[in-house]
């Protein structure tokens, strides 16, 4: 990720500047002290490692290695600091090793700086402890993937360390099927419009045969995603390789004013950036949408509607939010 310093960032200490960017990128456990202690390998200014007290100058070229900070963040575990708090946990499936829950809008998954209470992790810890199922070896209370605050939908939670490591491996190797539903606006461009069908999305989702990989017949959005050079809060989709951009692949089935999306890679803002490239926006999106200042993060019409994975014993679990609880 490269940025040229200008306007409001001139004169800002580099450690504060970097901390703000990382927090905005969704790395909840990043702190300023952590940034100060790990700047080597994570940032350069004009191709040099800056002192943490360095104040940015106009025209400075800042290069941030997001992989460095993502790896660092993934190793941080504050489970012992997550307070158990009672909350409404919507459990859709549960066995002795894991559970699948429905996350509502407007709730944060992990605690972060200045936000230690009333997160999903707090509620999960309370729920597991109240049943005598909490494994103190768990990282982040068993959470293995996340949804943004404004996004609702299905999440799988591990109940013991062995299952958590197994599920992490499943996500890392893209063995988990994740399908989203977005309410969209915009005209769409090019070949995308040739895939539009006027079908009720609930009927469409209820008849999907996941074993036959139906998404391979949907519109294929293949390219690269990286930080937008115009707006550091946003990501940008490009159809060509570019420095700092990572490969991204999604399959999209347009259903009138809705789009069903299967993501193969897990890039930040992958669905939103891909749709924007196609001339589309998610209704209520406070960052990528039109007239976005009137929206809050919980207004976005995006939901994780299908989650499918194979358990350690070889059994496949597939859940659809429109089906009854199991």
């Amino acid at each position: 990720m490269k940025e040229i310093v200008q306007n409001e960032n001139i004169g800002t200490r580099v450690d504060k500047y970097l901390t703000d960017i990382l927090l905005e990128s969704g790395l909840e456990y990043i702190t300023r002290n952590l940034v100060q202690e790990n700047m080597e390998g994570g940032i350069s200014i004009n191709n040099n490692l800056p002192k943490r007290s360095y104040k940015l100058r106009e025209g400075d070229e800042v290069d941030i290695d997001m992989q460095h900070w993502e790896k660092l963040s993934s190793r941080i575990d504050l489970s012992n600091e997550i307070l158990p708090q009672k909350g409404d946990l919507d459990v859709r499936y549960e066995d002795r090793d894991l559970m699948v829950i429905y996350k509502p809008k407007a709730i944060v998954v992990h605690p972060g700086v200045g936000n230690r209470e009333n997160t999903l992790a707090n509620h999960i810890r309370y729920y597991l402890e109240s049943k005598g199922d909490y494994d103190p070896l768990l990282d982040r209370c068993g959470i293995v993937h996340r949804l943004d605050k404004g996004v609702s939908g299905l999440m799988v939670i591990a109940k013991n360390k062995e299952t958590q490591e197994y599920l992490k491996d499943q996500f890392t190797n893209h063995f988990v099927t994740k399908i989203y539903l977005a309410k969209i606006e915009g005209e769409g461009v090019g070949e995308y419009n040739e895939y539009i069908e006027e079908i009720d999305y609930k009927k469409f989702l209820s008849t999907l045969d996941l074993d036959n990989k139906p998404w391979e017949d949907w519109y294929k959005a293949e390219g690269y995603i990286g930080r937008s050079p115009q707006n550091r809060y946003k990501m940008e989709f490009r159809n060509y390789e570019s420095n700092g951009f990572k490969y991204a692949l999604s399959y999209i089935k347009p259903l009138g004013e809705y789009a069903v999306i299967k993501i193969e890679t897990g890039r930040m803002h992958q669905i939103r950036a891909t749709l924007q490239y196609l001339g589309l926006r998610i209704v209520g999106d406070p960052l990528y949408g039109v007239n976005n200042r009137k929206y809050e993060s919980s207004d976005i019409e995006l939901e994780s509607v299908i989650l499918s994975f194979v358990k350690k014993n070889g059994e496949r679990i597939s859940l659809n939010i429109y089906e009854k609880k199991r």
Side-chain angles (χ1 to χ4, degrees):
M1 170 186 170
K2 293 182 181 291
E3 288 198 346
I4 302 298
V5 175
Q6 53 188 342
N7 300 330
E8 72 275 8
N9 293 317
I10 297 172
T12 302
R13 276 181 55 130
V14 66
D15 55 348
K16 181 182 185 307
Y17 170 81
L18 179 55
T19 302
D20 290 344
I21 287 181
L22 297 175
L23 290 173
E24 290 158 4
S25 298
L27 302 182
E28 296 99 337
Y29 291 112
I30 292 294
T31 65
R32 193 164 173 177
N33 285 339
L34 191 72
V35 166
Q36 291 174 343
E37 294 170 1
N38 294 276
M39 288 176 61
E40 185 173 358
I43 186 173
S44 67
I45 296 181
N46 304 324
N47 296 317
N48 294 307
L49 174 66
K51 294 182 178 179
R52 61 191 185 186
S53 60
Y54 176 81
K55 293 185 178 180
L56 299 173
R57 302 171 183 173
E58 184 175 7
D60 277 346
E61 183 176 300
V62 182
D63 191 354
I64 300 172
D65 185 344
M66 292 302 296
Q67 289 186 327
H68 170 88
W69 299 107
E70 287 167 359
K71 289 179 181 178
L72 181 64
S73 178
S74 68
R75 294 196 295 268
I76 301 169
D77 178 32
L78 299 180
S79 291
N80 292 332
E81 299 181 22
I82 297 176
L83 301 173
Q85 289 181 303
K86 187 174 183 179
D88 294 326
L89 208 59
D90 186 353
V91 180
R92 300 297 178 97
Y93 170 86
E94 184 172 9
D95 59 30
R96 67 178 186 178
D97 292 320
L98 58 85
M99 59 184 180
V100 177
I101 64 171
Y102 177 83
K103 173 197 169 302
K105 286 176 172 288
I107 185 168
V108 176
V109 173
H110 297 113
V113 178
N115 184 34
R116 297 294 189 194
E117 300 182 359
N118 296 314
T119 70
L120 196 65
N122 297 119
H123 299 165
I124 290 169
R125 179 161 187 171
Y126 178 91
Y127 178 83
L128 293 177
E129 285 188 350
S130 68
K131 298 180 63 178
D133 284 346
Y134 184 73
D135 181 353
L137 297 177
L138 285 169
D139 297 331
R140 307 184 185 198
C141 298
I143 294 171
V144 294
H145 63 124
R146 66 188 293 273
L147 295 175
D148 290 341
K149 178 180 178 181
V151 178
S152 56
L154 299 170
M155 294 181 62
V156 59
I157 309 296
K159 295 171 65 175
N160 54 65
K161 182 64 172 177
E162 182 181 0
T163 300
Q164 185 173 35
E165 293 305 312
Y166 169 81
L167 289 173
K168 284 182 180 179
D169 183 69
Q170 295 295 294
F171 277 97
T172 298
N173 291 291
H174 310 296
F175 295 149
V176 179
T177 299
K178 297 174 287 182
I179 296 180
Y180 293 78
L181 178 72
K183 187 174 183 180
I184 57 174
E185 54 189 359
E187 298 302 321
V189 295
E191 188 183 18
Y192 173 88
N193 291 322
E194 298 175 13
Y195 287 77
I196 296 176
E197 290 188 56
E198 295 295 336
I199 304 174
D200 178 76
Y201 65 86
K202 290 185 180 180
K203 180 179 180 180
F204 178 83
L205 290 168
S206 65
T207 58
L208 282 181
D209 182 1
L210 301 183
D211 290 333
N212 288 325
K213 299 182 179 180
W215 48 84
E216 293 184 351
D217 293 326
W218 304 355
Y219 176 80
K220 184 178 182 180
E222 187 174 28
Y224 302 85
I225 290 178
R227 184 75 51 180
S228 168
Q230 285 76 40
N231 184 338
R232 76 183 192 195
Y233 298 103
K234 298 174 66 174
M235 306 301 284
E236 181 179 309
F237 181 98
R238 296 176 179 175
N239 62 358
Y240 56 90
E241 290 190 59
S242 186
N243 186 34
F245 280 57
K246 298 179 182 179
Y247 176 74
L249 174 61
S250 305
Y251 294 96
I252 307 173
K253 181 60 180 177
L255 303 175
E257 64 177 346
Y258 289 89
V260 177
I261 304 137
K262 163 75 164 64
I263 59 172
E264 294 288 334
T265 52
R267 305 306 176 208
M268 183 178 178
H269 294 182
Q270 178 169 329
I271 294 174
R272 300 157 82 182
T274 302
L275 290 175
Q276 185 177 61
Y277 173 80
L278 295 171
L280 302 165
R281 302 168 298 278
I282 301 176
V283 173
D285 192 331
L287 183 58
Y288 291 79
V290 175
N291 298 321
N292 50 18
R293 291 185 179 180
K294 70 179 181 181
Y295 296 124
E296 302 291 337
S297 62
S298 57
D299 292 329
I300 189 169
E301 296 289 337
L302 179 63
E303 190 163 45
S304 171
V305 292
I306 293 178
L307 185 66
S308 179
F309 55 92
V310 176
K311 295 167 53 178
K312 290 184 297 181
N313 64 4
E315 178 188 1
R316 174 166 289 281
I317 298 295
S318 298
L319 287 102
N320 183 322
I321 65 168
Y322 300 109
E323 296 175 347
K324 294 181 179 179
K325 295 182 181 180
R326 298 176 56 181

